[in-house]
Amino acid sequence: MDFSFTPEQEALRKRIEGFCEKHLGRSKRKVESLPSEGSDGYDRAFHLAMAEAGLLSLGWPREYGGAGLGRVAMAVFSEVVGLYEAPVGAVGTSVGLVGQSLFMYGTDEQKKMLLPRIARGEIVCALGITEPNAGSDAASVQMKAVKDGDVYRISGSKIFVSSGHIADYILTLTRTDPAAPKHKGLSLFLVDTKLPGFKASRIKTMSGWVVSELHYEDVPAPESMMVGGLNQGWLCLTKSLGEERTGLGGTRNMKRLMEEMVHYARTHKRNGRKVWDDDTVRRAVAEFATRLEIARLLYYQAAWLQENKHPFDLPASISKLFTSELYHQCADVGGGVLGPEAQMESSSQTAPLRGKIEYLYKHCPASTIGGGTSQIQRNIIATRGLGLPTGKVG
Amino acid sequence: MNFRFTEDEEIFAKSVRDFLTRESTPKHVRQWEQDPVGFSRETMKKMADMGWFGVCLPEKLGGLGLPFDYLTILFHQLGHFIPHGPIWETVVSGLVLLHAKPSKHRDELLSRMARGEAICTLTLHPSTPDKKSAILHFVPYAAGSDYIVTPQNKGGRQRVGVVPAQSVAAGLAPVPVTSGERMYHVSLPSRSTRTGMAFPISRPAFETAMDMGRILAAAFLLGISERALEIAVQYAGERVQFGRPIGSFQAVQHLVADIKVKTEGLRLLVYEASSAVTQGGAARRLASMAKFWANSTAYTATKNAHQVLGGFGVMAETDLQLFYRRAKGWMINKGGEADMLDRVAETLP
């Protein structure tokens, strides 16, 4: 096996580092504050700058404004922006999820209309799947799309939609054939959020991170904005989401947090001795560092397998499960390093690591839920990966 | 980047598997557990003929002259079949000596090791020396080996002692252990009457060789974990309770999925560490990470597999318990958790 990067990938890493230094004005070694309360991780100026620098759509074909790079390069991008804690909200949904669905199933007209504008950062797209009554059982969608002349009238609610409140278009999963079996009567529409009857509201999560709830009341979506064909929505979505699944295992800012924890423990004392000299704390950090290295390897493996056209479904599930669980451990280990001060919110001037561990306390539960819960991932690994019989009910 | 094995590596792995499928069945393993010496010299000789004790030794010393990754592949496969005998000990002794100061005596010994004529055991637990004698603790297969290799650190100077096992035969005290491997406490006679050789080695070179040994032990535990997973998956698919295969219950599926996740992480970490050695880079952190994670994975893999197999798995006649017990031995003796984590911590940036 070969774990090294190509010279091109190394050059890309340097380029993204330079970009982050320039636009964020911060060194990756320094402890910086977190996105402020009520943030959705989207920073329009930074988003446009990424587009300008050609970093937004690295994996897209050149004809649609992309850089035509592979999945490993995209993983490098994710690793570097994580180290800099860069505001990359809306990149995953807009460029990744919706962009990928359009490449695979969009009409020429849809592609020409939207892809260049996504790549230039002018518009943001989001993906609406989850509903109040369709969580892990994602195909039990109740949102209706009923044909009415040249349009489909869409009614219902979506929830936990990342970037939905800032999006210009929502790729929306709807039920077009209520009589068909649950996976078969679904269709996808690109819904313009300026259409009458559409309403988005913000949902504040316990960490302050914002997602959205969407309400559709007879929203008239033109037939020309259907993606992938009538009643083909589930099939299209599972395939295009499958292509994007390798992106779920990124370790975001955990490497930086690990380095900051090590530095803190080596330079601070508690109860008369260096924190680092506490065997329990030091070994917990070492275990976290080990798991973090594994998370990085699982992530790159999934990306490499995908880039080289090998099966990557199972490795991507493993990567997602392992990394999302690691956020919980990161918070726990941080608590051991910082002691009682770990609970201080970032608003407190004296909070160690600017309250990042405290933020993670409140942010990590969402990591093992969003993008498919840990339990769903384990089901997938056991059945599709290891061939155990499904125990499907209904 | 490339997450696949090369064709040559696949061929090598297959040759190892084919050999062990014949020569190290569960029946053999049970025989070796009952055997007074604990392993078969004849099987060890056949392994030597396959080149296994000289994989990384230069060809002029009778070795295969292959990159370190091949040794990792060898121990990865050995973990699937858990043959008894001082295989790891002989290979790692060879790696240590290869890093020692070159000499004619050293090269002769290495050549004999490659040919299977110098079976070595290796002491890893600190001895308790006094002026007259020393007791070496938990020395595997001390009876039946030709040499006892004892790393010594005297006044900051590192040496590798090589003591003929026959010369200490009177001082062997058998210690029955969980893994079923033959284990001994060894009393070394006083230094004045002790025979054998000593080879100088630098401390960093010694640590490099031991890091390689840790990676190989991790690879062995990787093989055990993968085997435990196979056994659990097979049983979960066949065993019927409540009118359906137990593998269709999510409670069982998740036990098995957790083995898969940890094992997959271990596989990557072991080969990343191995690759670092092959490329000639520093592997201290990765080797210690790999051995720590190997302990953690083998623990989860064998424990969860036992949970899947239920009462059936704890019967002595079931193969899974052989792997469970062997994993315990390799977790304890070839790099314990706290030690490995401390080594990782030392190297963190």
Side-chain angles (χ1 to χ4, degrees):
Chain A
M1 290 188 202
D2 177 6
F3 295 83
S4 62
F5 293 97
T6 63
E8 291 77 20
Q9 287 159 354
E10 292 290 3
L12 176 70
R13 181 185 296 274
K14 286 264 176 303
R15 189 155 79 82
I16 303 167
E17 282 175 0
F19 174 84
C20 288
E21 300 267 348
K22 183 179 162 201
H23 288 272
L24 300 170
R26 51 169 114 158
S27 157
K28 68 181 176 202
R29 299 283 160 210
K30 243 172 69 189
V31 179
E32 289 295 337
S33 57
L34 288 156
S36 54
E37 177 81 3
S39 168
D40 44 32
Y42 174 68
D43 177 330
R44 185 165 168 82
F46 189 76
H47 195 81
L48 287 169
M50 278 194 290
E52 177 78 30
L55 295 175
L56 197 53
S57 48
L58 287 173
W60 286 14
R62 291 176 190 279
E63 59 175 309
Y64 291 106
L69 297 178
R71 286 279 155 177
V72 175
M74 289 163 74
V76 169
F77 170 82
S78 164
E79 195 178 18
V80 178
V81 296
L83 270 175
Y84 281 86
E85 298 175 330
V88 291
V91 177
T93 52
S94 199
V95 182
L97 296 171
V98 177
Q100 187 63 42
S101 300
L102 286 176
F103 278 125
M104 292 174 74
Y105 299 106
T107 62
D108 283 346
E109 190 193 351
Q110 289 165 352
K111 288 181 192 171
K112 275 184 198 141
M113 182 180 119
L114 292 172
L115 289 174
R117 292 166 68 201
I118 295 174
R120 289 197 298 268
E122 291 168 12
I123 58 168
V124 165
C125 298
L127 184 62
I129 308 175
T130 302
E131 296 183 3
N133 289 316
S136 287
D137 185 9
S140 65
V141 159
Q142 291 172 336
M143 179 172 275
K144 285 183 301 185
V146 182
K147 195 158 170 34
D148 179 13
D150 295 344
V151 301
Y152 278 81
R153 299 233 167 239
I154 302 178
S155 299
S157 297
K158 294 288 175 187
I159 196 166
F160 301 125
V161 179
S162 297
S163 305
H165 56 293
I166 54 169
D168 301 281
Y169 289 88
I170 312 278
L171 186 60
T172 307
L173 187 62
T174 66
R175 186 159 302 283
T176 36
D177 183 358
K182 114 178 141 175
H183 293 85
K184 302 223 163 138
L186 300 171
S187 304
L188 284 166
F189 287 92
L190 272 165
V191 176
D192 185 338
T193 57
K194 290 184 289 299
L195 285 173
F198 178 88
K199 186 168 163 277
S201 48
R202 295 154 68 94
I203 302 175
K204 199 173 108 178
T205 65
M206 68 170 147
S207 67
W209 185 267
V210 168
V211 290
S212 68
E213 185 170 11
L214 311 177
H215 298 282
Y216 298 63
E217 201 179 330
D218 284 333
V219 176
E223 194 168 353
S224 63
M225 293 299 263
M226 186 189 282
V227 176
L230 184 64
N231 297 330
Q232 301 298 307
W234 184 254
L235 195 69
C236 296
L237 202 56
T238 47
K239 286 198 174 165
S240 62
L241 290 188
E243 291 295 312
E244 285 304 306
R245 283 179 60 204
T246 52
L248 290 170
T251 55
R252 295 186 221 157
N253 67 338
M254 280 197 285
K255 179 151 192 281
R256 179 168 170 153
L257 278 173
M258 190 267 285
E259 290 174 2
E260 287 170 4
M261 285 194 271
V262 171
H263 180 72
Y264 182 95
R266 283 179 176 152
T267 52
H268 286 72
K269 282 187 171 180
R270 193 159 57 242
N271 300 329
R273 65 170 176 175
K274 241 183 218 160
V275 175
W276 195 243
D277 291 339
D278 181 330
D279 286 351
T280 309
V281 171
R282 189 184 61 253
R283 287 172 189 162
V285 174
E287 174 169 354
F288 172 63
T290 303
R291 287 176 182 262
L292 187 57
E293 181 61 22
I294 291 166
R296 197 184 71 87
L297 291 169
L298 290 170
Y299 184 47
Y300 275 110
Q301 175 183 242
W304 183 87
L305 289 170
Q306 185 176 11
E307 182 169 311
N308 290 280
K309 315 267 183 266
H310 295 298
F312 64 93
D313 204 39
L314 173 66
S317 268
I318 291 174
S319 168
K320 195 282 177 188
L321 171 61
F322 191 85
T323 303
S324 60
E325 301 274 343
L326 194 55
Y327 287 103
H328 292 260
Q329 204 205 0
C330 183
D332 288 345
V333 172
V337 171
L338 303 182
E341 291 177 26
Q343 66 191 313
M344 291 167 73
E345 291 191 347
S346 59
S347 56
S348 171
Q349 287 301 310
T350 56
L353 304 195
R354 303 274 177 101
K356 286 193 209 177
I357 295 302
E358 194 281 331
Y359 180 80
L360 200 54
Y361 280 155
K362 295 183 298 200
H363 203 59
C364 69
S367 67
T368 39
I369 297 167
T373 64
S374 293
Q375 286 63 40
I376 292 289
Q377 302 304 332
R378 287 187 176 95
N379 291 351
I380 292 171
I381 293 164
T383 54
R384 279 189 244 159
L386 298 169
L388 288 177
T390 55
K392 270 203 175 127
V393 182
Chain B
M1 240 170 218
N2 192 335
F3 285 89
R4 291 286 168 108
F5 294 108
T6 64
E7 200 178 319
D8 285 349
E9 287 169 343
E10 295 281 11
I11 290 168
F12 178 76
K14 186 174 181 303
S15 76
V16 175
R17 273 197 304 276
D18 289 348
F19 176 90
L20 292 170
T21 304
R22 293 190 311 271
E23 302 285 343
S24 181
T25 64
K27 194 177 160 201
H28 287 107
V29 172
R30 287 189 167 84
Q31 279 170 6
W32 290 322
E33 287 205 355
Q34 300 305 319
D35 186 274
V37 177
F39 68 100
S40 155
R41 289 284 302 213
E42 194 192 330
T43 308
M44 293 282 280
K45 178 67 182 138
K46 286 182 194 168
M47 290 176 181
D49 293 343
M50 297 282 289
W52 292 1
F53 299 122
V55 172
C56 291
L57 296 183
E59 288 174 72
K60 68 174 167 48
L61 298 178
L64 301 179
L66 290 169
F68 182 71
D69 280 339
Y70 282 82
L71 261 186
T72 308
I73 290 166
L74 171 63
F75 278 86
H76 181 179
Q77 295 302 327
L78 284 167
H80 280 256
F81 297 88
I82 54 172
H84 280 234
I87 304 165
W88 183 87
E89 287 75 9
T90 299
V91 167
V92 177
S93 295
L95 292 171
V96 170
L97 285 172
L98 194 61
H99 284 77
K101 196 175 163 203
S103 69
K104 194 162 151 268
H105 284 306
R106 184 200 74 156
D107 287 356
E108 272 173 20
L109 187 56
L110 285 171
S111 297
R112 289 177 56 215
M113 286 167 88
R115 291 198 298 271
E117 293 163 8
I119 300 294
C120 296
T121 185
L122 180 66
T123 66
L124 293 172
H125 296 278
S127 58
T128 48
D130 60 38
K131 286 207 173 91
K132 289 189 179 147
S133 66
I135 296 176
L136 306 169
H137 287 127
F138 298 106
V139 183
Y141 306 109
S145 295
D146 299 309
Y147 294 101
I148 297 175
V149 176
T150 66
Q152 301 152 4
N153 190 342
K154 290 213 175 63
R157 300 226 341 243
Q158 189 75 36
R159 300 192 319 164
V160 187
V162 180
V163 180
Q166 264 191 337
S167 70
V168 297
L172 298 187
V175 192
V177 292
T178 310
S179 72
E181 294 177 293
R182 289 279 167 264
M183 196 69 88
Y184 301 85
H185 292 336
V186 180
S187 300
L188 287 182
S190 67
R191 201 168 304 136
S192 54
T193 59
R194 203 183 298 164
T195 58
M197 299 167 275
F199 300 94
I201 185 170
S202 77
R203 184 79 202 170
F206 174 71
E207 284 299 332
T208 299
M210 291 312 295
D211 280 338
M212 294 161 97
R214 290 177 187 110
I215 295 167
L216 300 181
F220 188 88
L221 286 167
L222 167 63
I224 287 185
S225 303
E226 288 176 345
R227 188 74 192 101
L229 176 63
E230 286 168 8
I231 293 170
V233 167
Q234 190 189 351
Y235 188 81
E238 290 167 356
R239 169 74 170 171
V240 173
Q241 289 285 274
F242 305 102
R244 51 197 258 209
I246 60 169
S248 66
F249 293 109
Q250 291 183 350
V252 173
Q253 290 180 350
H254 291 192
L255 286 172
V256 176
D258 283 340
I259 305 177
K260 177 65 185 170
V261 172
K262 291 189 89 166
T263 305
E264 184 65 4
L266 177 59
R267 193 174 65 83
L268 294 177
L269 195 53
V270 162
Y271 281 100
E272 188 193 28
S274 175
S275 177
V277 168
T278 299
Q279 307 292 323
R284 183 177 169 83
R285 187 195 310 169
L286 287 172
S288 307
M289 281 181 167
K291 184 56 171 70
F292 160 70
W293 193 249
N295 287 7
S296 176
T297 301
Y299 169 79
T300 302
T302 53
K303 170 177 158 270
N304 285 13
H306 265 298
Q307 199 61 28
V308 171
L309 265 68
F312 180 68
V314 296
M315 293 194 295
E317 70 181 48
T318 307
D319 292 345
L320 178 62
Q321 56 89 13
L322 301 172
F323 290 88
Y324 172 84
R325 288 188 295 108
R326 185 66 71 85
K328 283 278 178 281
W330 282 60
M331 286 156 66
I332 294 167
N333 290 313
K334 294 171 172 70
E337 181 174 314
D339 189 21
M340 291 302 104
L341 287 176
D342 283 343
R343 293 169 58 85
V344 171
E346 278 169 30
T347 62
L348 288 177

